[in-house]
C-alpha cells in the first residue's frame, strides 16, 4: 500500500492520472449537455414557439430521419445541422416526442423511405478523382397518430425549424379537427368528369377515377375514415352548373355527329359550404398532345385541402371595391394570396356594404386606386380605435399605356392622390406621390444598351433593414419595387420603427408623367442623394381621424355618434409600405421564398401576434455580404478566409514554442547559475550591448 501511495505521489503516475481524468471528464460531459449558440440569428437554438409545441404534445410524435451518412461536404453540413436541431427538439420535448435515424445502408430502410413517398435526389460526388452522380434520400417522415407528413427534400438548412414546427402543428390541429367532426359527418371528395370526355382519347383520362379513389382509400387510413369519395358524370346543362359553382375546367369538343358539346373535368374537396378545387385538368403537353395533369401528387393536394377546410386559421380582412389589387389574377396579387392563404383565411370585405367583424385582428388595404367614401374610411378608423391592426400598401402613382415615337408602347405613370392619406397623416405617416430611385438596384441586360440599372427597383441588403425587429431581422435581398418615400411624425403615444429604408444613394422622381426607362433616368449629384424610408411600423394608441361619425354611417345604423371612439381603447399596430407592387408576382412568388415575400409574411404574422414565427422563418436566410468597392480589400479578405486561420494557428504555435524555451532557460538559470552556457550567453549579450 505504501508503494502505491508513493507511486501516486511520484511523477511516474502523471500520465495515468491524466488519462483517468479525461475518461471521467468525458463521462461527465456526456451527461451534462452544455451548448453555446454564437450565431447572430440563433440558427442552432429553438425558438420559444417550438419549445412550447413539443413540450405540450399529448400524443406520440415520431420523426424518422432518412439521410445518407456518406455525403459530400456541402451536404454533410446540412445533415449535421438537422441532427443538431433535432437534438434541441428532443431536449425541449416531453416523452411523446421521438427521433429515429434510419441507416440507409440497409435495404429495408431504403424500401421504407420509398413507401413513405420520399423522393431520391441526385447529387454529385468525387470518387477516385472521377465525378459521379449519386441517388440518395435527404428527408424526414413525421408520424402523428395514423397521419404521416413529409419534409422532403431537405437540401438547405434555411427555414428548417419553421417547416418542422409548422408541420407538426398542422398535424395536431388537423387530427383534433377530424375528431370534432359531428357523428357521420364526412369530408366529400368529388370526381366530376363527363363520361363523353373518355371518348376523346386524352392521355390519363381513363385513370382519373381510379387514381383518386385509390388516393382516398390511402388517406382514409390516416384520417379516421372521414373522407368519402363520389364520382359524378354531369351531362348537358349540369356541366355549366358544376363549372360555374366549383370553377372546374370546361372542355369544348365535337361529338361523332360533328355537333359542338361541352364536358368538364375536375376534382373537388368539400366540407360544409367550403370547398377546394384541386389542380387536376387537361393541358396541351406537346404540340396538340393533350393529357391530364395534377394526378402525380394527388394525395398531397387532398391532404392540404383537408387541412385548409377543417382547421380554423386566423381570419384576415382584405379590403376590396376601391381599385385594390385583385387576389385572383397574375397582374394582381395572386402569388401573395397563394402564400398568405396557406397560413391564414383571407376574407374579402367590401366596406361599402360590409362591416369589419369584431373578431378580426387585422386587415389589409392593398393599393387602392380610387378614393374611399367617408363611411369606408370611418370603418377602418374605428377598427383601429378598437385595437385592430392594419397593413397599408399605398402606391405613389397610377399607370397608363402610351405610344412613344422612339420606344413604342410605354407605361407612363401619374400621381395617385388618394384620400387614404387622411387616415395615414392623422396616425403619423406622410407619403408623397414621388417615386424612390436608388443606385443600389436590380439590373438587366439589353442587347443594344448593355447592362441597364432599374433604379425604381431598389435591391436592399441587411444594413437597409431593421436588425432589431423580428419582421426584418436576418433578411437581405429585399426588392422594394416602385415605392414612395414615407415620413413619420413624432408622437409620444406611438412607437415608430423604420423597417425598410433605401441606401444612401437614393433620390426621388415626380411620378406625374414619368416614363420608367433606364436610359431616360439620370441620377442627380451625390450631394442630393440620401436615405428614404420605405416601410414603417407604428405601435401604440392612436387618435381618430374623425371628430364624429359621418352622418350616413350614423343613419345606416352601422355606427352612431354615441359609439364614436376618439382615441384607441387599446394599443394597435399599423404597418405602412409605400407600394403595392411588392405584393405582385413580379417580386412575390406563390411560395413567398423571395426576400420581400418573407418580409410581408412576417409583417402579417407580427400584426397577428405571431412574432416567434418571424424569427423562426428567417433563421439562416440572410447572407453576409462584404460591402466594399476596394479590390484590394476584397482580395485581402478572400486570402484571409482561405489561409488566415492556418497562419494564425501557426504563429500562435511559434509564440508558445518560443515562450516555453525561454521559460525553461529561466528555470535552468535559477537552479544552475554557474552553467558555462549561461555565462557565455551573458558575455555575448554584453558584447552586443
Amino acid at each position: 500500500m505504501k508503494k502505491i501511495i508513493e507511486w501516486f505521489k511520484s511523477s511516474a503516475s502523471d500520465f495515468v492520472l491524466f488519462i483517468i481524468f479525461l475518461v471521467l471528464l468525458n463521462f461527465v460531459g456526456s451527461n451534462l449537455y452544455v451548448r453555446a449558440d454564437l450565431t447572430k440569428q440563433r440558427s442552432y437554438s429553438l425558438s420559444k414557439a417550438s419549445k412550447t409545441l413539443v413540450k405540450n404534445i399529448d400524443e406520440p410524435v415520431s420523426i424518422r430521419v432518412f439521410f445518407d451518412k456518406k455525403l459530400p461536404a456541402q451536404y454533410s453540413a446540412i445533415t449535421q445541422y438537422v441532427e443538431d436541431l433535432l437534438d434541441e427538439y428532443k431536449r425541449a420535448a416531453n416523452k411523446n416526442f421521438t427521433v429515429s435515424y434510419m441507416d440507409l445502408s440497409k435495404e429495408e430502410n431504403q424500401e421504407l423511405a420509398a413507401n413513405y413517398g420520399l423522393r431520391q435526389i441526385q447529387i454529385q460526388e468525387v470518387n477516385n478523382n472521377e465525378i459521379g452522380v449519386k441517388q440518395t434520400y435527404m428527408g424526414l417522415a413525421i408520424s402523428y397518430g395514423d397521419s404521416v407528413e413529409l419534409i422532403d427534400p431537405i437540401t438547405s438548412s434555411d427555414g428548417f425549424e419553421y417547416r418542422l414546427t409548422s408541420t407538426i402543428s398542422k398535424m395536431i390541429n388537423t387530427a383534433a379537427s377530424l375528431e370534432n367532426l359531428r357523428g357521420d359527418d364526412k369530408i366529400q371528395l368529388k370526381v366530376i368528369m363527363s363520361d363523353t370526355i373518355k371518348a376523346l382519347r386524352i392521355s390519363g383520362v381513363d385513370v382519373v377515377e381510379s387514381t383518386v379513389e385509390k388516393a382516398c382509400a390511402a388517406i382514409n387510413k390516416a384520417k379516421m375514415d372521414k373522407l368519402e369519395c363520389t364520382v359524378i358524370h354531369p351531362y348537358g346543362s349540369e356541366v355549366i352548373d358544376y363549372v360555374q359553382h366549383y370553377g372546374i375546367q370546361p372542355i369544348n369538343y365535337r361529338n361523332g355527329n360533328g355537333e359542338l358539346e361541352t364536358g368538364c373535368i375536375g376534382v373537388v374537396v368539400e366540407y360544409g359550404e367550403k370547398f377546394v378545387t384541386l389542380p387536376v385538368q387537361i393541358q396541351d403537353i406537346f404540340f396538340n398532345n393533350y393529357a391530364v395533369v395534377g394526378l402525380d401528387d394527388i394525395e398531397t393536394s387532398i391532404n392540404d385541402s383537408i387541412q385548409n377546410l377543417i382547421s380554423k386559421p386566423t381570419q384576415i380582412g382584405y379590403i376590396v371595391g376601391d381599385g385594390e389589387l385583385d387576389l385572383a389574377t397574375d397582374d394582381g396579387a395572386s402569388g401573395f394570396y397563394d402564400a398568405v392563404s396557406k397560413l391564414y383565411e383571407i376574407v374579402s370585405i367590401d366596406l361599402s356594404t360590409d362591416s369589419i367583424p369584431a373578431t378580426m385582428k387585422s386587415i389589409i388595404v392593398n393599393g387602392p386606386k380610387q378614393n374611399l367614401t367617408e363611411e369606408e374610411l370611418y370603418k377602418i378608423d374605428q377598427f383601429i380605435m378598437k385595437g385592430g391592426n392594419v397593413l397599408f400598401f399605398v402606391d405613389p402613382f397610377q399607370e397608363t399605356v402610351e405610344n412613344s415615337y422612339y420606344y413604342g408602347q410605354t407605361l407612363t405613370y401619374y400621381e395617385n392622390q388618394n384620400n387614404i392619406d387622411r387616415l395615414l397623416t392623422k396616425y403619423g405617416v406622410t407619403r408623397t406621390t414621388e417615386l424612390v430611385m436608388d443606385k443600389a438596384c436590380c439590373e438587366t441586360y439589353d442587347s443594344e444598351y448593355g447592362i441597364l440599372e432599374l433604379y425604381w427597383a431598389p435591391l436592399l441588403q441587411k444594413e437597409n433593414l431593421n436588425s432589431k425587429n423580428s419582421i426584418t431581422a436576418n433578411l437581405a435581398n429585399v426588392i422594394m419595387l416602385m415605392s414612395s418615400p414615407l415620413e413619420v411624425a413624432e408622437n409620444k403615444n406611438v412607437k415608430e420603427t423604420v423597417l425598410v429604408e433605401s441606401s444612401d444613394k437614393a433620390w426621388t422622381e415626380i411620378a406625374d408623367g414619368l416614363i420608367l426607362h433606364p436610359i431616360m433616368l439620370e441620377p442627380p449629384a451625390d450631394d442630393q442623394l440620401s436615405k428614404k424610408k420605405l416601410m414603417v411600423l407604428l405601435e401604440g394608441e392612436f387618435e381618430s381621424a374623425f371628430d364624429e361619425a359621418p352622418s350616413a354611417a350614423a343613419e345606416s345604423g352601422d355606427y352612431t355618434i354615441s359609439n364614436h371612439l376618439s382615441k384607441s381603447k387599446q394599443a394597435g399596430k399599423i404597418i405602412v409600405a409605400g407600394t403595392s407592387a411588392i405584393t405582385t408576382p413580379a417580386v412575390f412568388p406563390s411560395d413567398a421564398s423571395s426576400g420581400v415575400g418573407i418580409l410581408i409574411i412576417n409583417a402579417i404574422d407580427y400584426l397577428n401576434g405571431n412574432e416567434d414565427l418571424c424569427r423562426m422563418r428567417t433563421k439562416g436566410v440572410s447572407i453576409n455580404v462584404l460591402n466594399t468597392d476596394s479590390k484590394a480589400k476584397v482580395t485581402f479578405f478572400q486570402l484571409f478566409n482561405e489561409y488566415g486561420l492556418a497562419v494564425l494557428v501557426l504563429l500562435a504555435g511559434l509564440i508558445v514554442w518560443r515562450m516555453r524555451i525561454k521559460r525553461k532557460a529561466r528555470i535552468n538559470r535559477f537552479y544552475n547559475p554557474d552553467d558555462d552556457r549561461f555565462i557565455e550567453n551573458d558575455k555575448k549579450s554584453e558584447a552586443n550591448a
Side-chain angles (χ1 to χ4, degrees):
M1 187 67 180
K2 186 177 180 180
K3 289 183 178 180
I4 295 175
I5 294 173
E6 290 178 353
W7 181 79
F8 271 108
K9 290 181 177 181
S10 69
S11 59
S13 64
D14 290 352
F15 180 74
V16 176
L17 292 175
F18 179 70
I19 297 298
I20 295 173
F21 169 76
L22 288 180
V23 172
L24 293 175
L25 183 64
N26 276 278
F27 177 76
V28 172
S30 64
N31 292 278
L32 181 63
Y33 183 82
V34 179
R35 190 176 181 214
D37 186 353
L38 301 179
T39 58
K40 184 177 181 180
Q41 59 266 46
R42 309 292 294 171
S43 297
Y44 296 88
S45 302
L46 286 188
S47 65
K48 183 179 179 181
S50 297
K51 291 179 180 179
T52 301
L53 175 68
V54 296
K55 186 179 180 180
N56 296 292
I57 293 174
D58 294 328
E59 299 292 336
V61 171
S62 175
I63 297 180
R64 289 182 172 86
V65 184
F66 295 89
F67 269 81
D68 196 330
K69 292 294 184 182
K70 298 179 180 179
L71 291 174
Q74 66 269 32
Y75 294 101
S76 60
I78 300 171
T79 304
Q80 189 61 53
Y81 177 84
V82 170
E83 291 181 0
D84 288 344
L85 207 61
L86 287 175
D87 284 342
E88 291 290 322
Y89 273 96
K90 286 195 296 183
R91 295 180 187 281
N94 60 27
K95 63 181 180 180
N96 287 321
F97 185 88
T98 59
V99 179
S100 303
Y101 295 93
M102 315 307 293
D103 185 358
L104 289 179
S105 63
K106 296 180 179 180
E107 189 173 337
E108 60 268 23
N109 287 335
Q110 295 184 26
E111 292 179 0
L112 181 61
N115 291 335
Y116 273 129
L118 291 169
R119 294 166 292 175
Q120 286 189 321
I121 62 172
Q122 287 188 348
I123 60 174
Q124 284 189 344
E125 62 176 358
V126 179
N127 283 325
N128 298 324
N129 295 324
E130 293 183 356
I131 297 177
V133 177
K134 179 179 181 178
Q135 297 273 0
T136 188
Y137 293 101
M138 295 181 69
L140 306 182
I142 308 165
S143 302
Y144 179 77
D146 293 328
S147 180
V148 177
E149 294 287 343
L150 307 177
I151 299 182
D152 175 59
I154 304 173
T155 56
S156 170
S157 61
D158 293 352
F160 172 71
E161 182 191 353
Y162 174 77
R163 294 173 66 188
L164 180 56
T165 296
S166 59
T167 300
I168 296 173
S169 179
K170 286 180 181 179
M171 294 175 73
I172 294 173
N173 292 337
T174 301
S177 299
L178 285 169
E179 289 177 356
N180 292 330
L181 291 184
R182 299 180 300 274
D184 296 331
D185 199 5
K186 292 191 175 184
I187 301 164
Q188 299 297 317
L189 176 61
K190 297 180 178 180
V191 183
I192 306 170
M193 186 172 68
S194 302
D195 253 343
T196 51
I197 291 180
K198 296 178 180 178
L200 300 179
R201 297 181 180 180
I202 296 174
S203 176
V205 165
D206 55 333
V207 298
V208 171
E209 295 175 13
S210 60
T211 301
V212 175
E213 288 174 342
K214 183 179 178 181
C216 178
I219 292 171
N220 258 331
K221 295 179 182 178
K223 294 291 187 286
M224 308 173 192
D225 202 29
K226 294 290 186 178
L227 188 63
E228 183 176 68
C229 185
T230 305
V231 178
I232 302 172
H233 297 136
Y235 182 76
S237 61
E238 292 180 340
V239 171
I240 302 302
D241 292 339
Y242 279 106
V243 169
Q244 291 179 347
H245 181 69
Y246 290 115
I248 59 177
Q249 183 184 37
I251 306 296
N252 298 316
Y253 59 93
R254 294 192 180 276
N255 59 22
N257 298 324
E259 299 172 339
L260 187 65
E261 288 190 12
T262 301
C264 63
I265 182 171
V267 179
V268 177
V269 182
E270 185 174 28
Y271 179 68
E273 297 180 354
K274 299 168 63 178
F275 64 87
V276 176
T277 302
L278 304 187
V280 175
Q281 54 188 315
I282 295 172
Q283 286 187 2
D284 183 0
I285 303 300
F286 184 74
F287 291 109
N288 293 324
N289 290 314
Y290 293 89
V292 176
V293 298
L295 293 177
D296 293 340
D297 54 352
I298 189 68
E299 284 193 36
T300 301
S301 298
I302 295 172
N303 272 317
D304 290 344
S305 301
I306 291 172
Q307 287 182 350
N308 291 335
L309 288 175
I310 66 174
S311 60
K312 296 181 179 179
T314 302
Q315 288 187 333
I316 295 176
Y318 189 86
I319 306 303
V320 299
D322 299 293
E324 294 84 2
L325 292 186
D326 190 346
L327 293 174
T329 60
D330 289 339
D331 58 350
S334 58
F336 170 83
Y337 174 77
D338 291 341
V340 176
S341 60
K342 293 176 183 177
L343 305 171
Y344 298 93
E345 181 182 352
I346 300 179
V347 179
S348 295
I349 299 175
D350 187 341
L351 293 177
S352 64
T353 56
D354 303 328
S355 295
I356 303 172
T359 56
M360 193 166 283
K361 286 185 177 181
S362 61
I363 61 173
I364 298 171
V365 181
N366 192 13
K369 300 295 188 295
Q370 304 162 14
N371 285 332
L372 282 69
T373 66
E374 286 288 286
E375 292 72 31
E376 290 173 338
L377 290 174
Y378 187 69
K379 288 179 180 181
I380 297 174
D381 176 83
Q382 292 297 286
F383 174 72
I384 295 172
M385 295 306 106
K386 294 175 183 178
N389 309 308
V390 185
L391 176 54
F392 289 99
F393 299 97
V394 188
D395 294 310
F397 57 81
Q398 298 189 45
E399 59 186 33
T400 60
V401 179
E402 294 187 354
N403 292 317
S404 169
Y405 179 79
Y406 292 101
Y407 307 108
Q409 283 193 340
T410 59
L411 288 176
T412 303
Y413 297 88
Y414 296 93
E415 62 181 14
N416 179 29
Q417 294 283 5
N418 193 287
N419 65 353
I420 201 77
D421 289 320
R422 174 178 175 180
L423 299 182
L424 299 181
T425 303
K426 184 64 177 180
Y427 305 146
V429 178
T430 304
R431 72 178 185 98
T432 67
T433 55
E434 297 174 313
L435 197 61
V436 173
M437 303 287 172
D438 199 331
K439 286 186 177 181
C441 62
C442 297
E443 296 178 342
T444 187
Y445 178 79
D446 185 89
S447 58
E448 183 177 354
Y449 298 104
I451 296 176
L452 298 176
E453 295 177 306
L454 308 179
Y455 298 119
W456 57 89
L459 179 58
L460 307 176
Q461 303 301 333
K462 292 169 62 176
E463 60 270 19
N464 308 120
L465 307 168
N466 192 313
S467 61
K468 296 181 180 179
N469 189 278
S470 58
I471 297 175
T472 46
N474 309 321
L475 282 180
N477 297 325
V478 171
I479 302 174
M480 291 297 289
L481 184 65
M482 294 189 284
S483 181
S484 63
L486 306 173
E487 293 296 334
V488 183
E490 291 187 7
N491 187 333
K492 64 179 181 180
N493 296 321
V494 176
K495 176 186 175 184
E496 171 209 344
T497 303
V498 178
L499 297 175
V500 183
E501 61 183 2
S502 70
S503 76
D504 56 5
K505 300 177 180 179
W507 74 99
T508 59
E509 296 279 354
I510 298 174
D512 198 27
L514 180 67
I515 297 177
L516 288 185
H517 195 287
I519 66 172
M520 299 185 68
L521 297 170
E522 184 68 28
D526 289 346
D527 59 357
Q528 299 180 42
L529 303 177
S530 62
K531 290 185 176 182
K532 311 295 180 184
K533 298 175 183 177
L534 305 179
M535 189 173 187
V536 297
L537 163 67
L538 304 178
E539 300 174 277
E541 297 178 355
F542 302 93
E543 293 185 2
S544 173
F546 292 81
D547 294 329
E548 60 183 20
S551 57
E555 292 171 2
S556 70
D558 289 334
Y559 298 97
T560 62
I561 294 177
S562 61
N563 289 333
H564 171 72
L565 300 177
S566 60
K567 60 173 58 177
S568 295
K569 293 302 179 182
Q570 53 184 317
K573 304 170 188 173
I574 296 175
I575 296 177
V576 183
T579 174
S580 70
I582 57 177
T583 66
T584 64
V587 292
F588 195 118
S590 59
D591 60 355
S593 57
S594 66
V596 74
I598 297 174
L599 168 69
I600 295 174
I601 296 295
N602 280 355
I604 295 173
D605 281 341
Y606 191 89
L607 293 181
N608 286 278
N610 296 323
E611 187 174 345
D612 280 343
L613 294 180
C614 301
R615 293 192 181 276
M616 195 189 307
R617 186 181 291 112
T618 56
K619 282 185 179 180
V621 170
S622 65
I623 302 173
N624 292 318
V625 180
L626 181 63
N627 293 319
T628 178
D629 296 327
S630 171
K631 292 185 178 180
K633 286 185 179 180
V634 172
T635 303
F636 169 78
F637 283 110
Q638 180 181 356
L639 293 174
F640 182 81
N641 285 333
E642 292 179 359
Y643 308 109
L645 183 60
V647 172
L648 289 177
V649 171
L650 178 61
L651 289 175
L654 289 173
I655 292 171
V656 171
W657 175 58
R658 293 303 304 170
M659 289 176 65
R660 291 185 64 183
I661 290 176
K662 289 184 177 181
R663 181 172 176 271
K664 286 182 178 180
R666 286 198 305 270
I667 294 172
N668 285 331
R669 185 188 298 276
F670 180 80
Y671 289 103
N672 302 291
D674 298 329
D675 193 319
D676 293 340
R677 291 174 298 172
F678 298 117
I679 295 172
E680 186 67 26
N681 287 337
D682 290 340
K683 289 180 178 179
K684 289 181 179 179
S685 298
E686 291 176 2
N688 291 333

